[in-house]
Amino acid sequence: MIKYLYTLLVGALVLNSSAFADSAASNDDLEKELAYLAAERQVVVTASKMEEHVDKTVATTTVITQDDIAHIGARNLLDVLRLVPGIGITQTQFGWREIEVRGVKTLVSEKVQVMLNGHPLDHNLQNAGSVWVYDDLPVDTIKRVEVVRGPGSALYGANAFLAVINIITQNAKDLNGLHTSAGWGSFDTQQYRASWGKQFKNSAEAALHFNFTDTNGINSPIPADSLSIQGLNSSAPGKSQLAEGRYDLEWQLGYQDFKLDGRYINKKAGTFFGATSILSDSRTQQDYNNYFLRLSRNWKIKDNFTVDTQIFHDFFSYDNLWQFAPSQFTRAGLEDTRTGGEIQTNYHINDTQTLISGFSYAKERQGNLVDESGADPQHLRPSPSVAEERTRNRWGVYIEDVWDPLKNLRLTLGARYDRYNDFGGTFNPRMGFNWEFIKNYSLKFSYGTAYRAPAFGELGSANNPVLLGNSALQPEEVKTFETGIITHPVRGLMVQATYYHSAINHIIAPVSGNAAAFQYENSGSVVAEGVELETRYDFEGSLQGSYLIANHVVQHSIQLGRQLADVPRHRTNLIANWAFDSTWSSFAHVLIKDNTLRNLGDTRNNVPGYALLDVGLLGKNMFGKKVDISFNVYNLFDKRYYDPAPINLNVVGDYQMAGRAFFGHVSLRF
């Protein structure tokens, strides 16, 4: 595979050599492309539900463009998020990934709202997170990713708690034809994509995306002293079997002011070393299906007054077979649905003030439960279900005022009230300002609250002998204020510093009720504060297209007077892109992560910190602007590093992550 990719790159260099002859034309094309990309990076819609310059929004926002994604050689969504200040990614004992935001992380990342083209993807039923399905989302069809850190419930409701991540994909205008791509790499990884888009003369448009991914997983070794789960030979080290395969189809169909869009995903995964699986049997499998369907329309009442309406239906299911012991298997499954709608009005009072308001309603249902167990996966028998069939109705109303009383001052004020039939109501305000007190120097301040609704599995667990539900749960709450400064001291240079302080209360967590069982309770609080520093410099002149990025976070998250376990105090990203010309560029990324503490009662040493280096080579717009090609090496120096494993899983060692890995990618446009 490596020889093939090397030959491919060399051949592309030779065949594309004629492009170097016309440097003047190349420079003109490069300047136009860079101007377009700069504009893409400067606009954000997620922060206020309206298009605004990223420097003017009151929220702390990072925008990653399609060009940024190509340069870093990202294989999936998490490769993109790793570069964002204040965000970290770790592996869990179930094979899922955790998204840490500002020093706080949980097993299913339920405090992060992930959206696709503005549509929430969380499964706020059995659990509230999106990572089961969207952690390895392919990036070839992504146009941009907007990450808004801080509370977002004033606009988006439940689970926009620590951050909102909006994935915006390519539409018909972006595609304008057929695009295909393929990638191959370490661990027998394969990625294939086909996209087609067209705008028709009768105000109709269509865009279709198909993605397929398959990998054998990192196949990481488990230290011999870790294998103490029943039935394993502790003298023989094992390896995870976290093979993953997925395919998905996305569609965007439009006619005049109507739009029908959605996405279907099927994902299958193997097992990982943890509490609910052992490594001696490959029959363990996770099977997930997820789709959403949305019909929307924009109504132009007047030039300054528009109404956006939508109805939607979401579906999520899993059917998982786990091996607990050599002769003990269990199968669990369920289906979640969410059906509802939203109406939003957008009133541009004048050139300096916009009023946004809306109402949403949704009905959520959990059913079709499957719980079986037995000694043989082919002969399982029904067992008492640990979940319950449940239904939830909720509605919410929100309003936001974005006002520029002065040319250099933006004020934002908003609030949202949500009402649930199973636990009541919650009110969440948001306010802030952005003041350019000196030209190219802006001061930001914001305050807001957010909530995380109790999941169905937390409100009630019918026959779970270990983890009991609690129908009296109230939502988790967070109050956050942040202040910062963003500057452009010289042409091409951006520097930003942000301080945040978050107080999280009514945390939903299992609390020991007796020697054998835990019950969910609103118990405990966390105070998280920190500083995020980031800078970017885009070169000009002969180095145009090259850039340097650096960001560093210092985070301090305290619970019961102690720094939270498994999250670092310091994390740094250093990124360099060197453009040889308008076609070829090289890339380097250094991730530096501080060591992390253990949980209370865990006497093992801290999890060591590490530094990783990724490098890549990218060729763009070759052969008449029809071909892009890249080759990337991750963890170049084959650094051995680990993500933490909880001690209560009978695991002594931690999860060893991937060593040196390779990935090559080719994209064609027709």
Side-chain angles (χ1 to χ4, degrees), residues 267-314:
K267 177 178 177 179
K268 291 181 171 60
T271 183
F272 195 75
F273 186 80
T276 59
S277 59
I278 65 172
L279 308 180
S280 60
D281 198 305
S282 61
R283 289 174 289 181
T284 293
Q285 180 170 281
Q286 307 173 59
D287 190 350
Y288 301 96
N289 285 280
N290 174 245
Y291 72 81
F292 78 87
L293 186 66
R294 175 174 58 174
L295 176 64
S296 58
R297 181 177 179 179
N298 174 266
W299 306 76
K300 186 176 181 180
I301 311 301
K302 294 182 179 180
D303 289 342
N304 65 338
F305 184 62
T306 60
V307 178
D308 299 323
T309 58
Q310 61 171 297
I311 55 175
F312 56 82
H313 178 73
D314 295 64

Short mmCIF file of all heavy atoms in Angstrom, two decimals, residues 267-314:
data_model
loop_
_atom_site.label_atom_id
_atom_site.label_comp_id
_atom_site.label_asym_id
_atom_site.label_seq_id
_atom_site.Cartn_x
_atom_site.Cartn_y
_atom_site.Cartn_z
N LYS A 267 -24.03 1.75 10.87
CA LYS A 267 -22.68 1.58 11.40
C LYS A 267 -22.60 0.28 12.19
O LYS A 267 -23.48 -0.02 13.00
CB LYS A 267 -22.32 2.75 12.31
CG LYS A 267 -20.95 2.63 12.98
CD LYS A 267 -20.65 3.85 13.83
CE LYS A 267 -19.32 3.70 14.56
NZ LYS A 267 -19.00 4.88 15.38
N LYS A 268 -21.54 -0.48 11.93
CA LYS A 268 -21.27 -1.70 12.68
C LYS A 268 -19.87 -1.61 13.26
O LYS A 268 -18.94 -1.11 12.61
CB LYS A 268 -21.39 -2.93 11.77
CG LYS A 268 -22.82 -3.23 11.33
CD LYS A 268 -22.88 -4.48 10.46
CE LYS A 268 -24.30 -4.91 10.19
NZ LYS A 268 -25.08 -3.89 9.49
N ALA A 269 -19.72 -2.11 14.48
CA ALA A 269 -18.42 -2.06 15.15
C ALA A 269 -18.21 -3.33 15.94
O ALA A 269 -19.17 -4.02 16.34
CB ALA A 269 -18.34 -0.84 16.08
N GLY A 270 -16.96 -3.65 16.17
CA GLY A 270 -16.61 -4.81 16.96
C GLY A 270 -16.56 -4.48 18.44
O GLY A 270 -17.36 -3.70 18.95
N THR A 271 -15.61 -5.04 19.15
CA THR A 271 -15.53 -4.86 20.59
C THR A 271 -14.23 -4.15 20.96
O THR A 271 -13.27 -4.11 20.20
CB THR A 271 -15.59 -6.21 21.32
OG1 THR A 271 -15.57 -5.98 22.72
CG2 THR A 271 -14.42 -7.08 20.94
N PHE A 272 -14.23 -3.60 22.14
CA PHE A 272 -13.04 -2.97 22.69
C PHE A 272 -12.85 -3.50 24.09
O PHE A 272 -13.80 -3.97 24.73
CB PHE A 272 -13.21 -1.44 22.71
CG PHE A 272 -11.92 -0.69 22.91
CD1 PHE A 272 -11.02 -0.60 21.87
CD2 PHE A 272 -11.63 -0.09 24.10
CE1 PHE A 272 -9.84 0.10 22.03
CE2 PHE A 272 -10.45 0.62 24.28
CZ PHE A 272 -9.56 0.71 23.23
N PHE A 273 -11.67 -3.43 24.60
CA PHE A 273 -11.36 -3.98 25.91
C PHE A 273 -11.99 -3.12 27.00
O PHE A 273 -11.65 -1.96 27.14
CB PHE A 273 -9.85 -4.05 26.10
CG PHE A 273 -9.44 -4.74 27.38
CD1 PHE A 273 -9.43 -6.12 27.44
CD2 PHE A 273 -9.08 -4.02 28.50
CE1 PHE A 273 -9.05 -6.77 28.60
CE2 PHE A 273 -8.70 -4.65 29.66
CZ PHE A 273 -8.69 -6.03 29.71
N GLY A 274 -12.95 -3.67 27.74
CA GLY A 274 -13.60 -2.89 28.77
C GLY A 274 -14.50 -3.73 29.63
O GLY A 274 -14.40 -4.95 29.67
N ALA A 275 -15.42 -3.07 30.30
CA ALA A 275 -16.26 -3.75 31.28
C ALA A 275 -17.23 -4.72 30.64
O ALA A 275 -17.59 -5.72 31.24
CB ALA A 275 -17.04 -2.71 32.09
N THR A 276 -17.69 -4.42 29.43
CA THR A 276 -18.77 -5.22 28.86
C THR A 276 -18.31 -6.13 27.74
O THR A 276 -19.10 -6.58 26.93
CB THR A 276 -19.86 -4.29 28.32
OG1 THR A 276 -19.28 -3.44 27.33
CG2 THR A 276 -20.46 -3.45 29.42
N SER A 277 -17.04 -6.41 27.64
CA SER A 277 -16.58 -7.31 26.59
C SER A 277 -15.25 -7.91 26.98
O SER A 277 -14.51 -7.37 27.77
CB SER A 277 -16.44 -6.55 25.26
OG SER A 277 -15.53 -5.49 25.40
N ILE A 278 -14.97 -9.09 26.41
CA ILE A 278 -13.65 -9.68 26.53
C ILE A 278 -13.12 -9.92 25.13
O ILE A 278 -13.83 -9.75 24.15
CB ILE A 278 -13.67 -10.98 27.37
CG1 ILE A 278 -14.48 -12.06 26.64
CG2 ILE A 278 -14.25 -10.74 28.73
CD1 ILE A 278 -14.39 -13.41 27.32
N LEU A 279 -11.87 -10.33 25.02
CA LEU A 279 -11.20 -10.29 23.73
C LEU A 279 -11.11 -11.63 23.04
O LEU A 279 -10.51 -11.74 21.99
CB LEU A 279 -9.77 -9.74 23.91
CG LEU A 279 -9.69 -8.41 24.66
CD1 LEU A 279 -8.26 -7.97 24.79
CD2 LEU A 279 -10.51 -7.36 23.96
N SER A 280 -11.72 -12.68 23.58
CA SER A 280 -11.51 -14.01 23.03
C SER A 280 -12.53 -14.42 21.98
O SER A 280 -12.46 -15.51 21.46
CB SER A 280 -11.54 -15.04 24.18
OG SER A 280 -12.79 -14.99 24.84
N ASP A 281 -13.51 -13.55 21.67
CA ASP A 281 -14.59 -13.94 20.77
C ASP A 281 -14.94 -12.78 19.86
O ASP A 281 -15.26 -11.70 20.32
CB ASP A 281 -15.82 -14.38 21.57
CG ASP A 281 -16.79 -15.20 20.72
OD1 ASP A 281 -17.19 -14.71 19.66
OD2 ASP A 281 -17.14 -16.31 21.13
N SER A 282 -14.89 -13.01 18.56
CA SER A 282 -15.15 -11.95 17.58
C SER A 282 -16.63 -11.81 17.26
O SER A 282 -17.00 -11.00 16.41
CB SER A 282 -14.37 -12.23 16.29
OG SER A 282 -14.79 -13.46 15.72
N ARG A 283 -17.49 -12.60 17.89
CA ARG A 283 -18.92 -12.52 17.59
C ARG A 283 -19.57 -11.28 18.21
O ARG A 283 -20.69 -10.92 17.84
CB ARG A 283 -19.62 -13.79 18.08
CG ARG A 283 -19.29 -15.02 17.25
CD ARG A 283 -19.90 -16.27 17.86
NE ARG A 283 -19.22 -16.66 19.08
CZ ARG A 283 -19.54 -17.75 19.81
NH1 ARG A 283 -20.54 -18.52 19.41
NH2 ARG A 283 -18.86 -18.04 20.89
N THR A 284 -18.90 -10.63 19.15
CA THR A 284 -19.42 -9.39 19.70
C THR A 284 -19.54 -8.36 18.59
O THR A 284 -18.60 -8.16 17.82
CB THR A 284 -18.50 -8.88 20.82
OG1 THR A 284 -18.57 -9.77 21.92
CG2 THR A 284 -18.93 -7.50 21.27
N GLN A 285 -20.70 -7.69 18.50
CA GLN A 285 -20.89 -6.69 17.45
C GLN A 285 -21.90 -5.64 17.88
O GLN A 285 -22.88 -5.93 18.53
CB GLN A 285 -21.38 -7.34 16.15
CG GLN A 285 -21.60 -6.34 15.01
CD GLN A 285 -21.86 -7.02 13.69
OE1 GLN A 285 -20.95 -7.49 13.03
NE2 GLN A 285 -23.13 -7.08 13.31
N GLN A 286 -21.60 -4.40 17.51
CA GLN A 286 -22.52 -3.28 17.72
C GLN A 286 -23.11 -2.90 16.36
O GLN A 286 -22.38 -2.77 15.38
CB GLN A 286 -21.78 -2.08 18.31
CG GLN A 286 -20.99 -2.40 19.58
CD GLN A 286 -20.14 -1.23 20.02
OE1 GLN A 286 -20.64 -0.15 20.28
NE2 GLN A 286 -18.83 -1.44 20.09
N ASP A 287 -24.42 -2.72 16.30
CA ASP A 287 -25.11 -2.41 15.06
C ASP A 287 -26.02 -1.21 15.30
O ASP A 287 -26.94 -1.27 16.12
CB ASP A 287 -25.93 -3.62 14.60
CG ASP A 287 -26.47 -3.46 13.18
OD1 ASP A 287 -26.38 -2.35 12.63
OD2 ASP A 287 -27.01 -4.44 12.64
N TYR A 288 -25.78 -0.10 14.56
CA TYR A 288 -26.53 1.13 14.75
C TYR A 288 -27.16 1.57 13.44
O TYR A 288 -26.54 1.47 12.37
CB TYR A 288 -25.61 2.25 15.27
CG TYR A 288 -24.93 1.94 16.57
CD1 TYR A 288 -23.64 1.42 16.61
CD2 TYR A 288 -25.58 2.15 17.78
CE1 TYR A 288 -23.01 1.13 17.81
CE2 TYR A 288 -24.97 1.86 18.99
CZ TYR A 288 -23.69 1.35 19.00
OH TYR A 288 -23.08 1.06 20.18
N ASN A 289 -28.38 2.07 13.51
CA ASN A 289 -29.05 2.69 12.38
C ASN A 289 -29.60 4.04 12.82
O ASN A 289 -30.18 4.17 13.91
CB ASN A 289 -30.21 1.82 11.87
CG ASN A 289 -29.72 0.61 11.09
OD1 ASN A 289 -29.38 0.72 9.92
ND2 ASN A 289 -29.67 -0.54 11.77
N ASN A 290 -29.41 5.03 11.97
CA ASN A 290 -29.82 6.38 12.33
C ASN A 290 -30.21 7.13 11.07
O ASN A 290 -29.53 7.04 10.05
CB ASN A 290 -28.67 7.10 13.05
CG ASN A 290 -28.98 8.56 13.32
OD1 ASN A 290 -28.33 9.44 12.78
ND2 ASN A 290 -29.96 8.82 14.15
N TYR A 291 -31.33 7.86 11.12
CA TYR A 291 -31.65 8.74 10.00
C TYR A 291 -32.49 9.90 10.51
O TYR A 291 -33.12 9.84 11.58
CB TYR A 291 -32.39 8.01 8.88
CG TYR A 291 -33.82 7.62 9.15
CD1 TYR A 291 -34.86 8.53 9.03
CD2 TYR A 291 -34.13 6.31 9.53
CE1 TYR A 291 -36.17 8.17 9.27
CE2 TYR A 291 -35.45 5.94 9.77
CZ TYR A 291 -36.47 6.88 9.64
OH TYR A 291 -37.76 6.52 9.89
N PHE A 292 -32.48 10.99 9.73
CA PHE A 292 -33.45 12.05 9.96
C PHE A 292 -33.95 12.54 8.61
O PHE A 292 -33.25 12.46 7.59
CB PHE A 292 -32.86 13.21 10.79
CG PHE A 292 -31.96 14.15 10.03
CD1 PHE A 292 -32.48 15.25 9.35
CD2 PHE A 292 -30.59 13.97 10.03
CE1 PHE A 292 -31.65 16.13 8.66
CE2 PHE A 292 -29.75 14.84 9.35
CZ PHE A 292 -30.28 15.93 8.66
N LEU A 293 -35.18 13.02 8.62
CA LEU A 293 -35.83 13.54 7.42
C LEU A 293 -36.45 14.88 7.80
O LEU A 293 -37.20 14.96 8.79
CB LEU A 293 -36.90 12.57 6.92
CG LEU A 293 -37.58 12.90 5.59
CD1 LEU A 293 -36.58 12.83 4.45
CD2 LEU A 293 -38.73 11.93 5.35
N ARG A 294 -36.14 15.93 7.01
CA ARG A 294 -36.62 17.27 7.36
C ARG A 294 -37.17 17.97 6.12
O ARG A 294 -36.53 17.99 5.06
CB ARG A 294 -35.47 18.09 7.96
CG ARG A 294 -35.82 19.54 8.25
CD ARG A 294 -34.69 20.25 8.97
NE ARG A 294 -33.44 20.23 8.22
CZ ARG A 294 -32.33 20.88 8.58
NH1 ARG A 294 -32.31 21.57 9.71
NH2 ARG A 294 -31.23 20.81 7.86
N LEU A 295 -38.36 18.53 6.24
CA LEU A 295 -38.96 19.34 5.19
C LEU A 295 -39.06 20.77 5.71
O LEU A 295 -39.65 21.02 6.77
CB LEU A 295 -40.35 18.82 4.83
CG LEU A 295 -41.13 19.64 3.80
CD1 LEU A 295 -40.42 19.62 2.44
CD2 LEU A 295 -42.56 19.11 3.66
N SER A 296 -38.48 21.71 4.97
CA SER A 296 -38.44 23.09 5.43
C SER A 296 -38.81 24.05 4.31
O SER A 296 -38.73 23.71 3.11
CB SER A 296 -37.04 23.43 5.97
OG SER A 296 -36.06 23.24 4.97
N ARG A 297 -39.19 25.23 4.70
CA ARG A 297 -39.48 26.28 3.73
C ARG A 297 -39.16 27.64 4.33
O ARG A 297 -39.41 27.88 5.51
CB ARG A 297 -40.94 26.26 3.28
CG ARG A 297 -41.20 27.35 2.25
CD ARG A 297 -42.59 27.38 1.68
NE ARG A 297 -42.72 28.48 0.72
CZ ARG A 297 -43.82 28.77 0.03
NH1 ARG A 297 -44.90 28.02 0.18
NH2 ARG A 297 -43.85 29.80 -0.80
N ASN A 298 -38.63 28.52 3.49
CA ASN A 298 -38.39 29.91 3.86
C ASN A 298 -39.48 30.76 3.21
O ASN A 298 -39.67 30.73 1.99
CB ASN A 298 -37.01 30.36 3.41
CG ASN A 298 -36.77 31.84 3.65
OD1 ASN A 298 -36.98 32.67 2.77
ND2 ASN A 298 -36.33 32.16 4.85
N TRP A 299 -40.20 31.51 4.04
CA TRP A 299 -41.28 32.37 3.56
C TRP A 299 -40.81 33.82 3.65
O TRP A 299 -40.50 34.33 4.73
CB TRP A 299 -42.54 32.21 4.43
CG TRP A 299 -43.00 30.80 4.58
CD1 TRP A 299 -42.45 29.83 5.36
CD2 TRP A 299 -44.13 30.20 3.94
NE1 TRP A 299 -43.16 28.66 5.26
CE2 TRP A 299 -44.20 28.86 4.38
CE3 TRP A 299 -45.10 30.65 3.04
CZ2 TRP A 299 -45.19 27.98 3.97
CZ3 TRP A 299 -46.08 29.78 2.63
CH2 TRP A 299 -46.13 28.46 3.08
N LYS A 300 -40.77 34.49 2.51
CA LYS A 300 -40.40 35.91 2.48
C LYS A 300 -41.66 36.75 2.55
O LYS A 300 -42.36 36.94 1.55
CB LYS A 300 -39.60 36.24 1.23
CG LYS A 300 -39.06 37.66 1.21
CD LYS A 300 -38.20 37.91 -0.02
CE LYS A 300 -37.65 39.32 -0.02
NZ LYS A 300 -36.80 39.60 -1.21
N ILE A 301 -41.97 37.26 3.75
CA ILE A 301 -43.17 38.07 3.94
C ILE A 301 -42.92 39.48 3.41
O ILE A 301 -43.74 40.04 2.67
CB ILE A 301 -43.56 38.10 5.43
CG1 ILE A 301 -43.59 36.67 6.00
CG2 ILE A 301 -44.90 38.79 5.60
CD1 ILE A 301 -44.55 35.74 5.30
N LYS A 302 -41.81 40.06 3.79
CA LYS A 302 -41.35 41.35 3.29
C LYS A 302 -39.85 41.26 3.09
O LYS A 302 -39.21 40.27 3.45
CB LYS A 302 -41.69 42.47 4.28
CG LYS A 302 -43.17 42.74 4.48
CD LYS A 302 -43.38 43.90 5.44
CE LYS A 302 -44.87 44.20 5.62
NZ LYS A 302 -45.08 45.33 6.57
N ASP A 303 -39.28 42.31 2.53
CA ASP A 303 -37.84 42.31 2.33
C ASP A 303 -37.09 42.17 3.65
O ASP A 303 -36.00 41.60 3.69
CB ASP A 303 -37.40 43.60 1.62
CG ASP A 303 -37.83 43.62 0.16
OD1 ASP A 303 -38.14 42.54 -0.37
OD2 ASP A 303 -37.85 44.72 -0.42
N ASN A 304 -37.67 42.70 4.72
CA ASN A 304 -36.99 42.67 6.02
C ASN A 304 -37.62 41.69 7.00
O ASN A 304 -37.30 41.71 8.19
CB ASN A 304 -36.97 44.07 6.64
CG ASN A 304 -38.37 44.57 6.97
OD1 ASN A 304 -39.36 44.10 6.41
ND2 ASN A 304 -38.45 45.53 7.88
N PHE A 305 -38.55 40.85 6.52
CA PHE A 305 -39.22 39.93 7.43
C PHE A 305 -39.41 38.57 6.74
O PHE A 305 -40.09 38.46 5.72
CB PHE A 305 -40.59 40.49 7.84
CG PHE A 305 -41.32 39.63 8.84
CD1 PHE A 305 -40.78 39.39 10.11
CD2 PHE A 305 -42.54 39.06 8.54
CE1 PHE A 305 -41.45 38.60 11.03
CE2 PHE A 305 -43.23 38.27 9.45
CZ PHE A 305 -42.67 38.05 10.70
N THR A 306 -38.78 37.55 7.30
CA THR A 306 -38.88 36.20 6.76
C THR A 306 -39.26 35.23 7.87
O THR A 306 -39.03 35.49 9.06
CB THR A 306 -37.56 35.74 6.13
OG1 THR A 306 -36.51 35.76 7.13
CG2 THR A 306 -37.16 36.64 4.97
N VAL A 307 -39.86 34.12 7.46
CA VAL A 307 -40.26 33.07 8.39
C VAL A 307 -39.70 31.74 7.90
O VAL A 307 -39.88 31.39 6.72
CB VAL A 307 -41.80 32.99 8.51
CG1 VAL A 307 -42.19 31.85 9.47
CG2 VAL A 307 -42.37 34.31 8.99
N ASP A 308 -39.01 31.03 8.77
CA ASP A 308 -38.48 29.70 8.46
C ASP A 308 -39.32 28.66 9.18
O ASP A 308 -39.50 28.73 10.41
CB ASP A 308 -37.02 29.58 8.91
CG ASP A 308 -36.11 30.58 8.22
OD1 ASP A 308 -36.34 30.85 7.03
OD2 ASP A 308 -35.18 31.10 8.88
N THR A 309 -39.83 27.68 8.43
CA THR A 309 -40.62 26.62 9.03
C THR A 309 -40.02 25.27 8.68
O THR A 309 -39.40 25.11 7.62
CB THR A 309 -42.08 26.66 8.54
OG1 THR A 309 -42.09 26.55 7.10
CG2 THR A 309 -42.76 27.95 8.95
N GLN A 310 -40.19 24.30 9.57
CA GLN A 310 -39.69 22.96 9.31
C GLN A 310 -40.47 21.94 10.11
O GLN A 310 -40.99 22.23 11.19
CB GLN A 310 -38.21 22.83 9.64
CG GLN A 310 -37.87 23.11 11.11
CD GLN A 310 -36.44 22.77 11.46
OE1 GLN A 310 -36.02 21.61 11.38
NE2 GLN A 310 -35.67 23.79 11.83
N ILE A 311 -40.60 20.75 9.53
CA ILE A 311 -41.07 19.57 10.25
C ILE A 311 -40.02 18.49 10.06
O ILE A 311 -39.34 18.46 9.02
CB ILE A 311 -42.45 19.10 9.77
CG1 ILE A 311 -42.46 18.83 8.27
CG2 ILE A 311 -43.53 20.09 10.16
CD1 ILE A 311 -43.78 18.24 7.76
N PHE A 312 -39.86 17.60 11.04
CA PHE A 312 -38.79 16.62 10.97
C PHE A 312 -39.18 15.32 11.66
O PHE A 312 -40.10 15.29 12.49
CB PHE A 312 -37.51 17.17 11.61
CG PHE A 312 -37.68 17.62 13.04
CD1 PHE A 312 -37.63 16.71 14.09
CD2 PHE A 312 -37.89 18.96 13.33
CE1 PHE A 312 -37.79 17.12 15.40
CE2 PHE A 312 -38.06 19.39 14.64
CZ PHE A 312 -38.01 18.46 15.68
N HIS A 313 -38.48 14.28 11.29
CA HIS A 313 -38.63 12.97 11.95
C HIS A 313 -37.24 12.35 12.06
O HIS A 313 -36.51 12.24 11.08
CB HIS A 313 -39.54 12.04 11.17
CG HIS A 313 -39.69 10.68 11.79
ND1 HIS A 313 -40.41 10.45 12.93
CD2 HIS A 313 -39.17 9.46 11.43
CE1 HIS A 313 -40.36 9.17 13.26
NE2 HIS A 313 -39.62 8.55 12.36
N ASP A 314 -36.87 11.95 13.29
CA ASP A 314 -35.58 11.32 13.57
C ASP A 314 -35.81 9.89 14.04
O ASP A 314 -36.77 9.61 14.78
CB ASP A 314 -34.82 12.08 14.67
CG ASP A 314 -34.43 13.48 14.24
OD1 ASP A 314 -35.33 14.31 13.99
OD2 ASP A 314 -33.23 13.74 14.18
#
